[in-house]
Amino acid sequence: MFNTGNKDLERWSILASVLVVGVVASWGGFARRWISDDGLIVLRTVRNLEAGNGPVFNVGERVEANTSTLWQYLILVVRWISSAELESIAIYLGLFLAVAGMVVGTWASVTMHSGIVLPAGALVYIALPPARDFFTSGLEWGLCLFYLAVLWWMLTIWARPRRHARSDSIVYWLAFWAGLSWLIRPELALYGGLVGIVLIVTARSWKVIAVAVPVPLGYEIFRMGYYGLLTPHTAVAKSAADSEWGKGFAYVGDFVGPYALFLPLIVLAGAALWKADLRSSALRSMHTVVYLFLGAALLHTLYVLRVGGDFMHGRMLLLPLFAALLPIFVVNLRAWWAAAFCAVWAFVIVLRGHPVDQSVYEGEISVVDERDFWTYATNRQEPPRTAKDFLGMDIMDDYGKAVRDLQSGDAMTFRYIKDSGQPSWMTAPRDPERSDPPTVYLLNLGLTSMNAPLDVRVLDDIGLSNPLAARQPRIEGGRIGHDKNLDIAWQVADSAVDIDSIPPWLDKDAAREARAALADADFQKLFDSYRKPLTWNRFWENIKFSLTEGRALTFSSNPQDYLG
């Protein structure tokens, strides 16, 4: 009864499904557009690239503070073309790529069905508040969605019966796209790697490797020689190799629970299995494509569980969810009940949103709704959309004056609390025998760095831009992604500040001990890897460092451990 035989009606259903998904995604992402503190971190690197300082966060320090390699360069290219504000580029480029990913994913999924189709899984994804939040935010999530959708689209073309020899050209385009996964975001190598294995087995040609490997391998050699690391520096700061299964499962519960997300997932699984052909078939087939994406999504989810999730509500689970939903972005008319359930569920979730009790922000926080948190923290009715919007925060009072004092010759700025209880900033003079750049320290790295000139060094105490902090031991039971801390004594020691002039509430003896400890050979080896001028010899030394000590070098938090 569902096979209408009306080709025009079937084509209209395809176009309508794609249009509905595209319009709803555009509206949803635009309505919730914003930029996060982490999104501003990316823009600091873009500013340095634009100024000719290289892909660094601070001038004179080769640190890769961004997880996505290509995202920063895409923003830079759009900046060159448009001269638009960096914040606007990051927001709207992310939104464009996210919507494009939703549209491409829907279009590709149509090929799995015959007859009239209806949107289903796509509605589930768009309805989730964190999904719409990370269409923008300044981070690379829109690029990641676009990458996965195009990979899925290419695979659906590759899986179709070959009609002529030229159809094999898709193999090489697919191999090249799979190879880019590592540069989009490291964990996407799960998807690109599995695709590469399948292509090698089916094509039985060395040309697949020749097409897929050169770009990521070339950048990896550059990364090792330039930064002295095998991975982006964020992986070191967040100890991505460690296990935190308990926190990982709690993170999943925090994402799934508020939306009863398991309900549409169960319904969609039922629709996928209902009358599905589960028989084995040729390796180059749609079965392989579906199993590959589901398998990669499962491995990706297990990885998120293992590392303990994230501190941002839902963020790290969005990509594996998107990948798992792609095969059922639309359903055939015979599964209309699944589409209807998803539509009703999505409508309820969009209306209900993600209620948050903002009183939790006053205490010790763990996983937070990042968009809501920054709206609250910046004392605004609307979420922040520019770096200047963050200046309304209490902790940024007098920050502009402190930065001007640093540019005038002071060495370091410190946060303190005035007698009135208002947070403020003060600076300390320079030790004339030291040449370190003027330095700012704050956990929230993006808002400080984008409101400071490039000749002011901006560091954090958890290690995203600071290799010294990144090599500190993890805090037992600490917040995921923020479970390291570089003590103020080390901060003072690794600066040009005159220790005798630091504020009286700081321990001068501890700062002197830390400064003496930094003369230890291991500290100097780390500093050399990212502070010494880049020569060919330094490049090769960094490659060796990345393959040896650079992989696991850690420091004690006690300076006395380095003093004889």
Side-chain angles (χ1 to χ4, degrees):
M1 64 178 289
F2 294 115
N3 187 6
T4 64
N6 189 329
K7 295 299 182 182
D8 288 338
L9 189 58
E10 293 173 8
R11 282 192 291 267
W12 277 111
S13 74
I14 294 171
L15 292 174
S17 296
V18 172
L19 184 63
V20 166
V21 169
V23 169
V24 172
S26 299
W27 168 79
F30 181 81
R32 298 183 69 84
R33 66 196 185 281
W34 69 300
I35 195 162
S36 66
D37 176 70
D38 284 52
L40 295 177
I41 293 175
V42 178
L43 301 186
R44 170 80 169 196
T45 302
V46 176
R47 287 172 62 198
N48 273 303
L49 282 166
E50 194 174 26
N53 299 322
V56 300
F57 191 81
N58 287 307
V59 178
E61 296 188 342
R62 296 182 302 277
V63 177
E64 189 177 17
N66 307 312
T67 304
S68 174
T69 299
L70 287 182
W71 179 232
Q72 60 199 15
Y73 292 109
L74 283 176
I75 294 174
L76 179 64
V77 169
V78 176
R79 170 77 159 191
W80 283 343
I81 295 171
S82 68
S83 298
E85 288 187 352
L86 288 175
E87 295 96 327
S88 296
I89 293 172
I91 290 172
Y92 292 107
L93 179 59
L95 178 59
F96 172 80
L97 290 170
V99 173
M102 296 299 302
V103 169
V104 171
T106 304
W107 182 266
S109 295
V110 165
T111 62
M112 297 180 59
H113 304 276
S114 60
I116 297 173
V117 295
L118 301 168
L123 298 180
V124 172
Y125 189 83
I126 297 173
L128 293 166
R132 285 175 281 132
D133 288 352
F134 288 101
F135 277 8
T136 55
S137 85
L139 293 170
E140 67 274 8
W141 254 244
L143 174 62
C144 293
L145 296 182
F146 180 74
Y147 174 81
L148 288 173
V150 172
L151 185 68
W152 167 252
W153 171 62
M154 287 184 172
L155 281 168
T156 60
I157 296 174
W158 169 83
R160 295 171 192 166
R162 289 165 285 177
R163 294 183 175 87
H164 45 73
R166 286 187 301 172
S167 66
D168 277 347
S169 64
I170 188 62
V171 171
Y172 303 112
W173 286 107
L174 185 52
F176 176 78
W177 192 256
L180 293 181
S181 58
W182 176 251
L183 302 180
I184 304 293
R185 193 170 168 87
E187 58 263 46
L188 293 186
L190 281 170
Y191 302 84
L194 289 174
V195 169
I197 292 171
V198 170
L199 292 180
I200 292 171
V201 171
T202 55
R204 298 179 182 178
S205 171
W206 63 268
K207 293 180 181 178
V208 171
I209 299 175
V211 171
V213 169
V215 172
L217 178 60
Y219 193 85
E220 186 60 22
I221 294 172
F222 167 79
R223 171 181 282 144
M224 294 162 66
Y226 190 79
Y227 299 111
L229 288 175
L230 286 168
T231 65
H233 186 258
T234 51
V236 180
K238 297 183 179 182
S239 297
D242 292 345
S243 298
E244 291 280 358
W245 288 98
K247 291 184 178 180
F249 281 105
Y251 184 69
V252 172
D254 179 80
F255 177 51
V256 173
Y259 317 111
L261 180 57
F262 57 88
L263 293 177
L265 294 183
I266 290 172
V267 171
L268 288 172
L273 293 172
W274 186 48
K275 296 187 178 180
D277 183 4
L278 301 178
R279 293 172 299 176
S280 61
S281 58
L283 185 57
R284 185 167 179 172
S285 67
M286 195 62 72
H287 285 80
T288 298
V289 171
V290 172
Y291 295 149
L292 187 152
F293 253 67
L294 291 178
L298 176 60
L299 291 174
H300 193 169
T301 302
L302 289 174
Y303 169 77
V304 174
L305 286 170
R306 182 179 181 276
V307 299
D310 188 33
F311 61 93
M312 298 187 195
H313 170 67
R315 178 178 69 147
M316 296 302 291
L317 291 169
L318 290 173
L319 298 183
L321 176 65
F322 180 81
L325 288 174
L326 274 172
I328 199 161
F329 255 32
V330 298
V331 295
N332 191 276
L333 184 58
R334 68 184 182 183
W336 63 268
W337 45 272
F341 182 91
C342 291
V344 172
W345 176 89
F347 183 73
V348 171
I349 295 301
V350 169
L351 287 182
R352 181 178 178 274
H354 182 219
V356 176
D357 179 6
Q358 293 187 338
S359 66
V360 301
Y361 300 148
E362 299 297 334
E364 193 74 23
I365 56 177
S366 180
V367 179
V368 299
D369 183 316
E370 193 77 352
R371 181 177 181 271
D372 185 80
F373 171 79
W374 285 114
T375 303
Y376 168 84
T378 53
N379 299 305
R380 292 168 49 83
Q381 295 298 315
E382 294 290 329
R385 292 171 186 152
T386 69
K388 291 182 179 179
D389 289 343
F390 288 84
L391 292 176
M393 298 177 63
D394 293 341
I395 63 171
M396 296 299 283
D397 192 45
D398 294 332
Y399 178 72
K401 179 182 181 303
V403 167
R404 290 191 295 273
D405 289 343
L406 290 177
Q407 289 186 288
S408 299
D410 282 347
M412 190 172 181
T413 183
F414 300 89
R415 284 196 304 140
Y416 74 105
I417 305 296
K418 295 180 179 178
D419 292 338
S420 63
Q422 175 67 28
S424 187
W425 297 76
M426 66 180 297
T427 57
R430 171 180 294 275
D431 181 338
E433 296 184 0
R434 295 185 66 88
S435 60
D436 309 72
T439 303
V440 173
Y441 263 93
L442 189 68
L443 169 68
N444 307 117
L445 196 59
L447 58 93
T448 45
S449 66
M450 280 298 286
N451 285 295
L454 295 179
D455 57 357
V456 172
R457 180 174 63 168
V458 182
L459 297 173
D460 63 323
D461 56 357
I462 62 173
L464 293 179
S465 73
N466 187 351
L468 184 58
R471 304 287 181 163
Q472 292 294 298
R474 296 184 75 174
I475 300 170
E476 194 70 32
R479 188 184 183 201
I480 291 298
H482 292 75
D483 54 1
K484 293 181 180 177
N485 179 62
L486 185 69
D487 187 77
I488 186 67
W490 293 105
Q491 297 176 27
V492 170
D494 188 35
S495 75
V497 74
D498 178 2
I499 292 179
D500 289 331
S501 301
I502 62 177
W505 62 83
L506 299 180
D507 189 334
K508 293 181 175 62
D509 290 335
R512 291 190 182 96
E513 287 180 348
R515 184 165 283 180
L518 291 179
D520 183 85
D522 280 344
F523 286 108
Q524 292 302 311
K525 189 176 296 185
L526 175 66
F527 292 150
D528 288 350
S529 72
Y530 70 96
R531 288 179 178 171
K532 269 200 169 182
L534 189 66
T535 62
W536 278 112
N537 182 63
R538 181 72 258 160
F539 189 90
W540 295 118
E541 287 296 318
N542 274 2
I543 289 179
K544 288 190 289 185
F545 180 74
S546 71
L547 294 171
T548 54
E549 299 102 321
R551 298 170 56 198
L553 180 63
T554 58
F555 298 117
S556 168
S557 58
N558 185 357
Q560 294 183 359
D561 290 340
Y562 299 93
L563 302 177

